[in-house]
Amino acid sequence: MARDYTLHTTSAPAHRIDYRAELNDQQFSAVTAPPGQALVIAGAGSGKTRTLTYRVAYLLDNGIPPENILLLTFTNKAAREMVDRVQALLPIETNRLWGGTFHSVGNRLLRKHCDRMGLRQGFSIMDREDQKDLMDTVVGSSGVDTTTYRFPKPEVLGDIFSMADNTGVELEELIVARYPYFEPVAEGIAKVREHYTKKKLETNSVDFDDLLTMTLRMFKENEDLLERYRKQFQFILVDEYQDTNTLQCELVDLLAGPNGNLMVVGDDAQSIYSWRGANLENILKFDARYPKAKIYKIEVNYRSVPEVLALANKAIEANEGQFRKALTPAREGKGMLPALVALDSPSAQAGFVAQRILELREEGVDLSEIAVIYRAHYHSLEIQLELTNRGIPFQITSGLRFFEQAHVKDVAAFMKFAINRQDEVAFMRIVRIVPGIGAVGAQKMWAAWLKSEASSGEVNHDTYSEALLKLTAPKKALKTWEQFAFTLGEMFDATGKTVPPASMIRSIVEGVYDDYMQTKFKNAEQRKQDLEGLSNYSVRFGDVSEFLSQLALVGGVDTDEKPNNSARDRESVTLTTAHQAKGLEWHSVFAVWLADGMFPNNRAIDDEAGGGLEEERRLFYVTVTRAKDELYLSYPVMNFQSRDGEVLQRPSRFLQELPQELMEAWNVRSVFA
């Protein structure tokens, strides 16, 4: 029988850091917590990173060897910053500390023991493009029928498999819950997954998710390895714990064991990523899994003025699933309450944002200290146009500029070809969304189109469709091609004139493009919302050419979105979704489109029982806590809907939950110069 033997390390020198002087009382309690399990609830702007950094330093300062500390983060940048800060605090070599993302640590462990999982030394990690190529090969060789019903593209298959891996949900159950439009091909998807798993082993390759799933399985199947690393990782620390998914949580619990030294740091009020697999229950039920765990709350906020903080505390109050806390300000007040601004229309809202930004600039606030935050990317449409027209530089962290996105350009290509039957670029773009038509086939069809009478001269909607149907499409494409032709025909009325832009967009999406998005893009629903927003915006244009010209002019503005390239770019307003804004802060924040159905969105409102509305409220909380000094809460009272005309919008229920005395109502009126 093996004998247990305790090695006593030499006494650590007296603390080289005055922790009492460097930390507030709450931070100090968490940093100097005794061994065991601890949950640190760190509110927005409370110094979470500082607390975690000093915790690592405290362990090292007390003689814990670096190799016995495991620090798990969500970005390598966060891990490097914390380790660099520790290095600056202590004259200790920290390169032996295990710090990094879940995936980088998983990779490191698999490299050491790949033989246990049927891999060979030097195995490859596939990036998204590699994964797509291998998936293409697997789909082609699996014998799955992809012609009878529209089958997901490799990118979407990868997303489905990843979600199943990270949430621990069975594939069939996941498809029913999240991808119901693929239920008819669920059996084929399962078969592809099986072949894909085998193919990865054959090619000695892993994808990103394998770095965690295989590491977890390796420890479950090899008790000697699990015991070895439990002994090595004497102290495990996890950053942003509220963002962990089921897989990550299980891996941490397995490595820590029921009695390990585990400290997790996070803020349940900022858990906003359930749509990509994050599980709020991980943090809410931490003390249920670890009954001896101590809970520490860090509630002193160093970011925001008291006026903003008072509103933030009320913004999250209605949520039932949370650790109750009350952020207290470290800063003094400035006497300016958050502004509640109701505008007549989306364009008026954009005008207000632009004008107030220019005023703030005159008051000495750098443009880089100003952000416009919205729930969905399409909410930035009018604001992008207004900032462009006024010459206000901006950078977008929520994605490409609205009119540069693939799905927007696809729909625009349909419209371009409808009014210009000689537009080869538009034709080549749109026909290739039809399954079975590749570059060569598209070129042949274009050549045939040019020979037809319909390619030039006046043509009504019937002959337009008929002319397209005369083109020879591949057998695999016939069914979709027929719908494609009818969709283009719907862009003309009975007299042969083009219908309004909003009707065109609706025909394109409902005719062929919605199905295409579901199989092509991982975030199909978000893109569909973008196109609904584009349709609503287009209502103000009666002429298709005028609408397309506006898109081209805005999309073609000479801007450089790399923020470090010039002085102009360094001083630019940030446009971002609330999700992308997490972890950032600005002097002044404009939270826009705060209307029911927009923020919160309708999907969350309908999913109130399932927790969707509470997550949406957390997202609102994240939004308002980004502001350091000034916060503007706005919404358009009237909105043009392409289907319903002018619609009266209710202010967001999140605004209605706030005490009116915490905000100052701004009555905005338009004056024409």
Side-chain angles (χ1 to χ4, degrees), residues 243-265:
D243 293 336
T244 55
N245 57 41
T246 300
L247 173 60
Q248 291 162 337
C249 179
E250 190 175 355
L251 181 58
V252 169
D253 286 351
L254 191 65
L255 278 173
N259 301 306
N261 299 314
L262 171 64
M263 177 178 281
V264 300
V265 183

Side-chain angles (χ1 to χ4, degrees), residues 18-72:
D18 187 346
Y19 295 95
R20 272 289 183 192
E22 295 289 329
L23 305 166
N24 66 36
D25 290 344
Q26 293 175 333
Q27 293 170 339
F28 179 81
S29 295
V31 165
T32 60
Q37 297 94 41
L39 168 62
V40 181
I41 302 297
S46 65
K48 171 185 65 67
T49 301
R50 183 179 183 83
T51 302
L52 203 51
T53 298
Y54 274 81
R55 175 62 175 178
V56 174
Y58 182 79
L59 294 174
L60 294 170
D61 212 3
N62 279 276
I64 304 299
E67 60 268 24
N68 294 143
I69 300 173
L70 172 62
L71 172 63
L72 292 168

